[in-house]
Amino acid sequence: MDPKGFFVYWINQSKETTFLDVATIRDTRTGKYAKLPKHPKVRNVFNLDFPDSNHLAKTLTIVSGPDMVNLTYHNFFASKEKVTQVINRCICVVADNHMLVHLYSRYPCFLLSGSLFFFSIYKMFPADKKRVESALAAAQLPKGKYDTIKPDVFTETAFRSFMTHLCPRPEIYEIFTSYSTKPTMTKENFTKFLNEKQRDSRLNEELFPRLRQDQIKALIDKYEPLSNNSNRGLISPEGLLFYLMGPETTVVMQDSLAKCQDMTQPIPHYFIKSSHNTYLTAGQFSGVSSPEMYRQCLLAGCRCLELDCWKGKPPDEEPIITHGFTMTTEILFKVDVIEAIAESAFKTSQYPVILSFENHVDSVKQQEKMANYCKTIFGDALLTEPLDKYPLKPGQQIPSPSELLGKILIKNKKGSHEKPAQNKKTAAAAADQTAAAATNAQAPNATSQDEANPAATTPENQDENEKPQAGQEVTAYEAMSSIVNYIQPNKFISFENARKKNKSYVISSFVETKGEAMIAKSAVEFVEYNKRQMSRIYPKGTRMDSSNYNPQPFWNVGCQMVALNYQTMDFPMQLNMALFEFNGRTGYLLKHDVMRRNDKKFDPFCDRIDTVVASTLTIKIYSGQFLSDKNVKTGVEVEVIGLPGDPKKKYRTKWSTTPNAINPVWNEEPFVFEKILLPELASLRIVVHEENGKFVGHRIIPLDAIQSGFHHICLRSESNMPLTLPALFVYIEVKDYIPAAFKKLHPNLHRPLMPLTSLHQQLVQKKLKRRKKARQRRFKLIKLQLMQHQTQEAPHLKPSLKPLLHPRRPKQARSLNRLLKPKKNQALSLVQTQSLHLIRKRKPVQLQNLLKRLLLRPFPLQQLQPLSLLDQVTHLSHRRAAKVTLQHVMCCTHHSFPFVNTLWIKALWQG
């Protein structure tokens, strides 16, 4: 990064920080003059007097701040370029370690370079001074106003003792006593706690086996503070507390934070992190434009940036970036913006960057400048020609993010490459048109431009029924058109027209109001449109304060580029930042299967999705830690954000009984969100407020990334920055949704139908060993005939299919008996008769072979299409927490019970 300059500090050999006189050079970041040292000794050390010293390559600027606008610059100057590069890499490794920010530790880090004064501790915990003094005294640490604590006294053990007395945790002892009435918990009870509370009930034990005894012993040794207890395999309440604050109990699955999604799908199959009017730092009408916003957005993982390009003024005639017809400041297209993008484009993510040009430059010469700047500064990173495998043809999809690694794509109107003689005439018409747009912008009843005029193309940031805000976009001349390929904006006409043309490289932009109207009127068609090509949503022009709209409805219909104002950290922006933290902060998130497949249609307003198992989320808020710097009452609000059919109720705890911001406890019933239709598209939001309504902290987590169990959730600020101390202790459980009617009729449906464990299998084998010989001779002929029939019709099937549905479990057999039982006045089919007979008689071998035969042909009596059910079960079998249970299929099929188990086994077997 280029330096902000102004101050330079130099550390000499005596390691004393000395302020030096400075000289000035031009700073490429701001176009102003920065400062460099004047001192002869310093200039000699850094070779500043040599013409080839390359000063800027030796500078390093560390930018920090609470958001993307209010930034602080820390500038450094090195003697060699290599030193700057090494420091830069080391800092980026720490800053980009997104795993660390999701870990919670109640023990903040102290830099004990010297004596620690008491008032430093009080400043960290200002909510209750008396409690801090009492905790220091209980930990046998000095507590006087001017006392100091030496590093050899303030050890980790002393600090833990201090924190334990400062923030007691009665809720932890309550949980502990529910599993052990003694002062310590045995390894067996601890194992029971881990299996019942900390393990996801949906996990398949074959794919995700339970913790081994040596692993549980390792956890006890790691977290139990007393060696006597750990040697005997015991854990105390303090050890349980330390375990619940460790990395093993993070609320977010660590695997989902890393790049874990398929990046080989076409780009329209992804949500893309997008910015609107990227250059602005404040409102849309007045404020400062800054190239630093481009750096910050790219470093935050943003993959789509917007550039409002306008004609530069004489004598330089350099194109500028600004918000037209407003009082916002101007920045240079080349020196400020393009160079800033080239510096930071691929520091956080290597996946393609899309530059969305809103081109108002009506000069052929200046458009040629813009194209040349992009080619020379971006170099090979700029994609100027389509890939050979993906020509620009109707019906042909565009490349995937993995095939465009390190590439920059230009989104700009593509002209018709008119002859030079016509260019002058068109340029003059465009100039007249821009002037007319400026005049019409002030008129109350401005009319749209004549569509017959080739230069009067519809601007991107203009609704059909709205007056232009910043003038019309002009014709793209040959230079700019030549660098546009896979992202070609075009005016949207209709879904039917887009379906017929089927041009995946054409993108349409919609103002939020028009997008909402299209969702309300044609949601299913909008989803189908977004399967083939891309759409970009941007805020309406009346949001002069740079506020944002809710992006969730547009994600629900598959819109790829939901562009937001990154300078405003409101709720929509918090939701956007939280969602794109996952998949390695690549800026690309793969859409759900129902939003990508051409053979499926998805309605976001539906109340049931055939191929998806709905989820039920249960959360209990136990306590908070260090929520506020004041001694006030606090409360927690919980909600789920997802599809329109998801639970909309917001749950709120009562205010804490006493003013206590250090360790408030809420003893209330759990909050239950039933039937979350599409868990992969839903998020859990938790917000903490003071009694006076002041915001304390929040956290937004995608539902599909939540781990069940007890967790400490580290809260975030309004700008989504991790807070040092504030946290919530909660219990979260995510289960598959079971309708209340099925729960009442079939209370045993929660029992899993899955392969037997080895111990259970041995017991069953011993129990059936005596019956096996007698049964074998009796049914030998029938078994042989069934196997021959199977081999003739499907020779590729395995002769011995491991029975996933074990008919010798009495409760499961009774459940299947009830399922197969027909309604009144309804005759039994042959399949139902055979199945009922085999289930009632509990004939496992015959039932197994019958199911094999049923695999060979479809059934006309099935009320639901087999493909839908097959997709349902295939999805289950590949899920992270897949556990095949009978309620999965029951909730999906309703009345197709005679054929459920057949397709179910088939899907699992093939998967």
Side-chain angles (χ1 to χ4, degrees):
M1 297 182 184
D2 293 333
K4 184 182 178 183
F6 305 122
F7 297 99
V8 176
Y9 291 89
W10 175 58
I11 302 178
N12 58 22
Q13 294 181 356
S14 62
K15 297 183 180 181
E16 295 177 355
T17 302
T18 309
F19 176 72
L20 304 172
D21 293 332
V22 292
T24 58
I25 64 168
R26 194 173 187 275
D27 185 352
T28 58
R29 188 189 66 84
T30 61
K32 300 179 180 179
Y33 284 92
K35 310 279 184 171
L36 286 180
K38 279 175 142 185
H39 196 284
K41 183 177 179 181
V42 178
R43 296 185 67 84
N44 182 45
V45 170
F46 294 112
N47 298 324
L48 295 182
D49 296 324
F50 291 91
D52 299 331
S53 60
N54 197 5
H55 308 318
L56 291 179
K58 301 175 184 178
T59 60
L60 175 69
T61 302
I62 301 176
V63 184
S64 62
D67 50 45
M68 296 186 181
V69 177
N70 302 299
L71 302 174
T72 303
Y73 299 84
H74 309 272
N75 304 284
F76 301 90
F77 202 96
S79 58
K80 297 180 180 179
E81 296 181 23
K82 187 178 294 185
V83 175
T84 304
Q85 296 172 0
V86 171
I87 297 175
N88 182 33
R89 284 196 298 268
C90 294
I91 293 175
C92 288
V93 167
V94 176
D96 293 338
N97 193 343
H98 51 278
M99 301 284 188
L100 292 178
V101 301
H102 291 270
L103 300 178
Y104 170 74
S105 175
R106 196 180 61 171
Y107 306 110
C109 297
F110 285 89
L111 299 177
L112 300 178
S113 58
S115 299
L116 183 68
F117 285 92
F118 164 70
F119 66 82
S120 300
I121 298 180
Y122 173 71
K123 188 176 181 180
M124 179 167 286
F125 311 107
D128 195 334
K129 181 178 179 180
K130 292 184 178 180
R131 179 182 279 195
V132 174
E133 292 176 350
S134 301
L136 287 170
Q140 298 181 352
L141 295 172
K143 62 184 182 68
K145 186 175 181 179
Y146 298 102
D147 290 345
T148 59
I149 306 176
K150 300 295 183 182
D152 55 343
V153 175
F154 198 60
T155 60
E156 182 180 356
T157 303
F159 182 56
R160 283 190 174 188
S161 176
F162 162 70
M163 293 294 291
T164 303
H165 289 91
L166 177 64
C167 184
R169 303 293 299 278
E171 72 280 8
I172 300 295
Y173 288 91
E174 180 182 348
I175 297 169
F176 183 89
T177 53
S178 64
Y179 283 88
S180 176
T181 57
K182 299 180 180 180
T184 57
M185 185 188 298
T186 63
K187 185 168 67 173
E188 290 73 19
N189 289 340
F190 187 50
T191 303
K192 183 180 179 182
F193 167 78
L194 295 177
N195 291 332
E196 291 183 354
K197 296 298 183 181
Q198 297 303 114
R199 179 180 172 82
D200 194 323
S201 61
R202 300 168 297 173
L203 286 177
N204 188 308
E205 294 186 10
E206 296 293 327
L207 302 176
F208 301 91
R210 296 173 182 265
L211 292 176
R212 303 186 305 272
Q213 290 300 308
D214 59 326
Q215 294 175 314
I216 295 175
K217 182 61 168 61
L219 289 176
I220 295 176
D221 294 339
K222 181 179 179 181
Y223 292 107
E224 174 54 42
L226 298 177
S227 58
N228 292 335
N229 291 338
S230 60
N231 293 336
R232 294 185 296 167
L234 303 175
I235 188 169
S236 63
E238 290 76 14
L240 180 63
L241 172 61
F242 298 151
Y243 162 74
L244 293 176
M245 294 189 301
E248 292 85 0
T249 59
T250 55
V251 67
V252 172
M253 299 175 192
Q254 298 299 300
D255 293 342
S256 62
L257 291 172
K259 188 173 75 67
C260 57
Q261 296 180 355
D262 179 16
M263 303 300 289
T264 61
Q265 299 286 329
I267 287 183
H269 290 180
Y270 296 85
F271 297 119
I272 304 173
K273 196 173 186 181
S274 306
S275 168
H276 170 254
N277 286 354
T278 311
Y279 48 89
L280 292 179
T281 61
Q284 303 288 310
F285 184 74
S286 63
V288 177
S289 302
S290 172
E292 188 63 32
M293 287 298 298
Y294 287 94
R295 292 190 181 93
Q296 293 301 317
C297 289
L298 288 168
L299 293 175
C302 191
R303 296 289 90 187
C304 179
L305 310 175
E306 185 176 15
L307 295 83
D308 286 358
C309 306
W310 292 84
K311 185 177 179 181
K313 300 176 182 178
D316 297 333
E317 293 189 356
E318 289 290 335
I320 60 174
I321 301 291
T322 188
H323 201 192
F325 306 113
T326 65
M327 299 174 63
T328 56
T329 60
E330 303 171 355
I331 52 179
L332 296 176
F333 176 84
K334 175 198 173 186
V335 176
D336 294 333
V337 176
I338 299 300
E339 290 184 355
I341 294 173
E343 291 170 3
S344 307
F346 304 106
K347 287 186 179 295
T348 299
S349 171
Q350 290 295 318
Y351 289 94
V353 173
I354 300 172
L355 301 184
S356 178
F357 279 64
E358 187 177 322
N359 194 346
H360 305 279
V361 178
D362 57 359
S363 166
V364 177
K365 179 181 178 181
Q366 292 197 25
Q367 283 202 20
E368 289 177 350
K369 279 187 175 183
M370 292 165 56
N372 290 333
Y373 292 154
C374 291
K375 292 178 180 178
T376 56
I377 296 176
F378 294 149
D380 295 337
L382 181 65
L383 187 69
T384 56
E385 298 291 338
L387 304 182
D388 295 336
K389 291 175 57 179
Y390 300 93
L392 298 177
K393 295 181 179 179
Q396 175 71 53
Q397 268 291 6
I398 63 178
S400 65
S402 61
E403 292 172 305
L404 296 173
L405 282 175
K407 292 297 183 180
I408 295 176
L409 282 67
I410 302 297
K411 171 184 170 290
N412 188 86
K413 287 188 178 295
K414 198 172 180 67
S416 57
H417 298 185
E418 298 175 354
K419 296 181 180 180
Q422 296 174 331
N423 284 346
K424 295 182 180 179
K425 184 177 180 180
T426 307
D432 295 340
Q433 172 197 344
T434 305
T439 305
N440 293 337
Q442 300 175 357
N445 297 319
T447 57
S448 59
Q449 298 290 330
D450 185 4
E451 295 183 359
N453 188 344
T457 55
T458 302
E460 180 188 48
N461 287 0
Q462 180 185 349
D463 192 295
E464 293 178 356
N465 300 323
E466 290 185 353
K467 61 184 180 181
Q469 300 173 18
Q472 302 273 359
E473 284 191 73
V474 300
T475 300
Y477 300 110
E478 185 174 359
M480 284 300 298
S481 296
S482 65
I483 60 176
V484 179
N485 38 69
Y486 288 124
I487 315 292
Q488 299 183 17
N490 201 356
K491 182 180 179 181
F492 177 79
I493 301 177
S494 66
F495 289 121
E496 181 64 22
N497 183 275
R499 185 186 63 81
K500 291 180 180 179
K501 292 185 177 181
N502 195 14
K503 296 180 179 179
S504 61
Y505 54 88
V506 172
I507 178 175
S508 298
S509 296
F510 308 99
V511 69
E512 59 171 292
T513 52
K514 183 175 181 180
E516 291 169 353
M518 294 170 65
I519 292 174
K521 183 179 180 181
S522 309
V524 177
E525 290 78 5
F526 208 171
V527 174
E528 292 298 310
Y529 172 86
N530 288 321
K531 291 178 182 178
R532 297 185 304 271
Q533 57 197 83
M534 288 189 286
S535 59
R536 181 177 181 270
I537 312 297
Y538 57 90
K540 59 186 178 182
T542 55
R543 294 186 181 272
M544 302 304 293
D545 59 348
S546 293
S547 59
N548 286 304
Y549 55 89
N550 185 5
Q552 188 68 43
F554 301 102
W555 289 333
N556 291 342
V557 294
C559 296
Q560 294 85 358
M561 302 180 193
V562 183
L564 300 177
N565 292 308
Y566 271 60
Q567 66 269 33
T568 305
M569 291 295 173
D570 48 10
F571 161 69
M573 191 62 197
Q574 294 166 4
L575 182 61
N576 181 73
M577 297 287 283
L579 183 70
F580 283 97
E581 282 184 1
F582 296 85
N583 195 30
R585 294 173 64 195
T586 57
Y588 287 82
L589 293 176
L590 185 64
K591 295 193 287 188
H592 191 272
D593 184 68
V594 297
M595 296 183 178
R596 295 184 281 117
R597 292 180 52 174
N598 294 326
D599 58 340
K600 295 290 178 184
K601 286 196 175 183
F602 170 64
D603 181 5
F605 293 97
C606 66
D607 58 355
R608 176 173 165 269
I609 306 173
D610 288 342
T611 58
V612 179
V613 177
S615 294
T616 296
L617 172 70
T618 303
I619 177 171
K620 181 173 182 178
I621 310 295
Y622 274 89
S623 62
Q625 293 79 45
F626 308 106
L627 296 181
S628 175
D629 55 358
K630 299 177 182 178
N631 209 13
V632 295
K633 294 182 180 181
T634 52
V636 184
E637 181 180 282
V638 183
E639 66 175 324
V640 167
I641 305 161
L643 294 177
D646 289 341
K648 294 300 179 185
K649 183 177 180 180
K650 289 185 180 180
Y651 291 98
R652 294 180 177 86
T653 65
K654 297 178 181 179
W655 300 112
S656 51
T657 54
T658 58
N660 176 14
I662 293 181
N663 63 335
V665 177
W666 296 275
N667 189 13
E668 300 181 13
E669 291 298 318
F671 304 144
V672 181
F673 298 91
E674 286 196 341
K675 199 177 181 181
I676 301 172
L677 298 172
L678 190 57
E680 289 81 358
L681 204 58
S683 300
L684 172 67
R685 182 174 185 247
I686 305 174
V687 187
V688 181
H689 293 280
E690 294 181 2
E691 190 177 16
N692 57 9
K694 180 183 177 182
F695 174 88
V696 174
H698 82 285
R699 189 66 182 273
I700 300 175
I701 309 173
L703 198 68
D704 196 44
I706 294 177
Q707 293 195 106
S708 296
F710 289 101
H711 303 292
H712 287 88
I713 299 180
C714 178
L715 298 181
R716 304 287 181 87
S717 66
E718 289 179 305
S719 57
N720 211 49
M721 300 291 289
L723 299 173
T724 305
L725 291 175
L728 289 175
F729 180 60
V730 304
Y731 176 74
I732 300 180
E733 187 175 24
V734 183
K735 289 184 175 181
D736 295 321
Y737 168 71
I738 304 175
F742 286 118
K743 288 181 182 179
K744 185 177 180 180
L745 294 175
H746 306 283
N748 295 322
L749 288 181
H750 68 281
R751 295 181 178 273
L753 300 179
M754 57 184 298
L756 299 175
T757 61
S758 58
L759 179 60
H760 193 184
Q761 200 168 9
Q762 292 176 10
L763 296 176
V764 172
Q765 292 298 330
K766 289 181 180 179
K767 188 175 180 180
L768 301 179
K769 189 175 183 180
R770 294 186 301 269
R771 305 178 186 177
K772 185 175 181 181
K773 293 182 180 180
R775 188 177 64 247
Q776 186 175 6
R777 179 177 298 179
R778 182 179 178 184
F779 300 110
K780 184 176 182 180
L781 181 62
I782 300 176
K783 181 177 181 181
L784 180 61
Q785 292 176 351
L786 290 173
M787 295 298 292
Q788 290 176 351
H789 178 74
Q790 169 202 343
T791 306
Q792 292 173 1
E793 295 193 25
H796 63 281
L797 294 179
K798 295 182 179 180
S800 58
L801 176 63
K802 187 176 182 180
L804 299 178
L805 179 63
H806 203 285
R808 281 198 171 274
R809 299 183 183 180
K811 294 183 179 179
Q812 294 174 5
R814 287 197 297 270
S815 298
L816 290 174
N817 189 12
R818 288 193 296 268
L819 298 182
L820 293 172
K821 187 175 181 180
K823 297 180 180 180
K824 293 182 179 180
N825 303 325
Q826 181 179 356
L828 280 172
S829 65
L830 176 62
V831 177
Q832 288 175 313
T833 305
Q834 293 177 345
S835 301
L836 278 174
H837 172 75
L838 294 175
I839 289 175
R840 288 169 181 169
K841 297 297 183 181
R842 300 180 186 172
K843 306 296 184 183
V845 179
Q846 290 85 342
L847 180 60
Q848 175 183 345
N849 285 279
L850 175 63
L851 294 177
K852 287 182 183 179
R853 293 183 62 189
L854 299 182
L855 292 174
L856 304 179
R857 59 184 184 274
F859 297 95
L861 298 177
Q862 186 172 355
Q863 298 184 16
L864 196 66
Q865 291 296 328
L867 182 61
S868 175
L869 179 60
L870 182 62
D871 293 338
Q872 155 71 12
V873 184
T874 305
H875 171 70
L876 284 174
S877 63
H878 290 86
R879 281 182 57 186
R880 170 197 59 79
K883 183 177 184 180
V884 183
T885 55
L886 188 56
Q887 68 265 25
H888 291 161
V889 187
M890 291 180 62
C891 299
C892 171
T893 58
H894 290 294
H895 303 295
S896 302
F897 299 134
F899 318 103
V900 164
N901 304 303
T902 301
L903 294 175
W904 178 20
I905 293 178
K906 180 179 179 181
L908 291 177
W909 186 31
Q910 292 177 346

